[in-house]
């Protein structure tokens, strides 16, 4: 299999490469370009799906529906009625309200006052890419818009339920300063954030939920509704294997309703076998094409800045899996070296090394590969690699291997800059 990227040894390797790169070369030119490993990532779903899910559990949300065409948007706006609504681009990225579409339209969240405006803005959003602070310059495609009634809040709060890694139990994070970026609140006014650890065996009791609602500042007439909402949110969190439910804002409206105005949810990928409906909501168009391809082969691909591709290989890695990983890494023309971290535990290092040699031989790779070996039969694995005659360099020490990857990368990059080829041989 492929080992988790964020293991301590692997993190050390990343730091070694980055530190060495900063000391000797221009910043970031030789930092990690991409990493491939077997690791599942949380599922994120669109806002309209989050709203529908919360509504099915009795959580109050503004009335709204999703539209996938301008005509649908107009019809939905007509059905909602009134002259005060909101249209929201359904793109899995933060900062939608301040984003810009590739056609020049500013704002992925707009207030609208008629079905005609719903149709007009939907036509400008659907089928276009929204660029936000999180998407990068490429942006993300908007395939649908969510149209909902506009509610006016007397008070806005922040509430999130997530799994705390340290306690390995759920935690509720709440703040009286809702409708704002929670990271900004944490930095500028940390006292405004209240953290409540939850005993997973007892769950959220009436007292816990009521205390949170009271401490946040709900009015007396809304405290009980807020308490019930908090308990329902926790039920969703547990029953649907969520890793995070973030409501921002959780509002007390002018007519004293408690509503989840905006919801973001992520779910544990390891639970896909028992959350079939939730995982059927995955929108692949919102994911990186390389990450989608990697997932098809049971791999996790993470694109980062820099030009060194990294592959973390553990016991059970097949030659086919290694080939797919190499295909992903070498598909990026900026990659100038590949750093392979081989750990042989139950499965021997030499068996993994043999698979690596086979793949490199068949793919006729021309960039240097640095293989760090650790584990069972590492000496035999090094011998196999060194005698293969391929551009694979085996090194035992993690930091030395990382530094060598940086050096090789620099040489390849310099050669490319002056448009010449470069060959490497053993003897390091």
């Amino acid at each position: 299999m492929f080992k988790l990227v964020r293991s301590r040894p692997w993190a050390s390797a990343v730091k070694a490469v980055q530190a060495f790169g900063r000391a000797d070369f221009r910043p970031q030119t030789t930092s990690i370009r991409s990493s491939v490993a077997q690791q599942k990532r949380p599922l994120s779903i669109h806002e309209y799906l989050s709203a529908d899910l919360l509504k099915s559990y009795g959580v109050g949300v503004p009335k709204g529906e999703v539209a996938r065409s301008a005509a649908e948007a107009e019809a939905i706006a007509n059905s909602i009625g009134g002259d005060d609504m909101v249209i929201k681009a359904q793109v899995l990225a933060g900062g939608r309200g301040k984003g810009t579409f590739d056609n020049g339209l500013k704002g992925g969240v707009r207030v609208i006052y008629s079905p005609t405006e719903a149709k007009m803005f939907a036509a400008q959003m659907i089928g276009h890419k929204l660029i936000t602070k999180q998407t990068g310059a490429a942006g993300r495609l908007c395939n649908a818009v969510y149209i909902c009634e506009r509610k006016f809040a007397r008070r806005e709060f922040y509430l999130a339920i997530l799994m705390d890694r340290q306690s390995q139990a759920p935690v509720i994070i709440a703040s009286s300063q809702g409708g704002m970026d929670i990271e900004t609140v944490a930095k500028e006014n940390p006292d405004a954030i209240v953290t409540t650890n939850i005993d997973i065996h007892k769950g959220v009791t009436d007292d816990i939920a009521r205390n949170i609602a009271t401490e946040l500042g709900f009015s007396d007439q809304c405290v009980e509704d807020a308490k019930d909402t908090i308990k329902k949110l926790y039920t969703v969190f547990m029953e649907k294997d969520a890793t995070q439910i973030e409501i921002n804002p959780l509002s007390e409206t002018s007519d004293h309703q408690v509503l989840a105005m905006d919801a973001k949810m992520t779910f544990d990928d390891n639970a896909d076998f028992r959350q079939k409906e939730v995982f059927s909501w995955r929108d692949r168009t919102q994911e990186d094409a390389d990450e989608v391809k990697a997932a098809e082969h049971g791999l996790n691909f993470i694109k980062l800045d820099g030009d060194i591709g990294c592959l973390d290989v553990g016991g059970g890695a097949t030659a086919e899996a290694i080939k797919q990983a190499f295909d992903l890494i070498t598909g990026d023309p900026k990659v100038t070296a590949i750093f392979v971290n081989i750990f042989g535990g139950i499965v021997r290092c030499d068996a993994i090394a043999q698979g690596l040699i086979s793949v490199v031989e068949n793919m006729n790779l021309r960039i240097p590969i640095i293989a760090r070996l650790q584990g069972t039969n590492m000496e035999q694995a090094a011998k196999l690699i060194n005698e293969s005659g391929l551009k694979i360099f085996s090194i035992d020490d993690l930091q030395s291997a990382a530094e060598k990857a940086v050096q090789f990368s620099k040489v390849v990059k310099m050669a490319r800059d002056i448009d010449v080829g470069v060959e490497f041989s053993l003897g390091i």
Side-chain angles (χ1 to χ4, degrees), residues 384-404:
L384 283 171
I385 288 174
N386 292 337
E387 293 178 354
S388 67
L390 301 171
K391 298 185 186 70
I392 309 175
F393 304 88
S394 65
I395 302 174
D396 297 341
D397 180 69
L398 187 62
Q399 181 158 337
S400 297
E403 291 175 355
K404 192 62 69 175

Side-chain angles (χ1 to χ4, degrees), residues 171-300:
V171 62
I172 296 178
I173 298 174
S175 173
S176 58
Q177 298 185 23
M180 298 173 59
D181 179 61
I182 194 62
E183 286 82 8
T184 302
V185 175
K187 182 179 180 181
E188 298 179 356
N189 189 11
D191 292 339
I193 296 177
V194 178
T195 301
T196 306
N197 292 296
I198 305 299
D199 184 332
I200 200 166
H201 300 293
K202 296 179 180 178
V204 176
T205 63
D206 284 349
D207 286 343
I208 290 173
R210 190 179 293 111
N211 287 340
I212 293 172
T214 302
E215 196 164 359
L216 282 176
F218 280 95
S219 66
D220 291 343
Q221 63 194 108
C222 285
V223 165
E224 287 303 303
D225 284 345
K227 175 209 75 176
D228 291 341
T229 296
I230 292 168
K231 292 189 68 176
K232 289 171 182 175
L233 289 170
Y234 183 77
T235 301
V236 177
F237 181 84
M238 295 302 294
E239 290 188 0
K240 295 300 182 181
D241 291 298
T243 54
Q244 177 175 305
I245 295 179
E246 182 182 55
I247 311 297
N248 190 21
L250 176 64
S251 298
E252 178 181 331
T253 65
S254 54
D255 55 352
H256 301 292
Q257 295 183 70
V258 176
L259 297 179
M261 296 291 203
D262 193 355
K264 294 179 183 177
M265 296 187 184
T266 58
F267 302 86
D268 186 351
D269 259 6
N270 293 300
D272 57 356
F273 71 97
R274 65 183 177 204
Q275 300 293 349
K276 298 296 185 184
E277 182 182 24
V278 171
F279 279 82
S280 71
W281 299 336
R282 175 167 245 142
D283 185 353
R284 296 289 189 186
T285 68
Q286 300 296 299
E287 300 176 14
D288 181 88
D290 285 333
E291 292 181 8
V292 172
K293 182 180 177 182
E296 292 172 355
H297 297 283
L299 302 170
N300 185 43

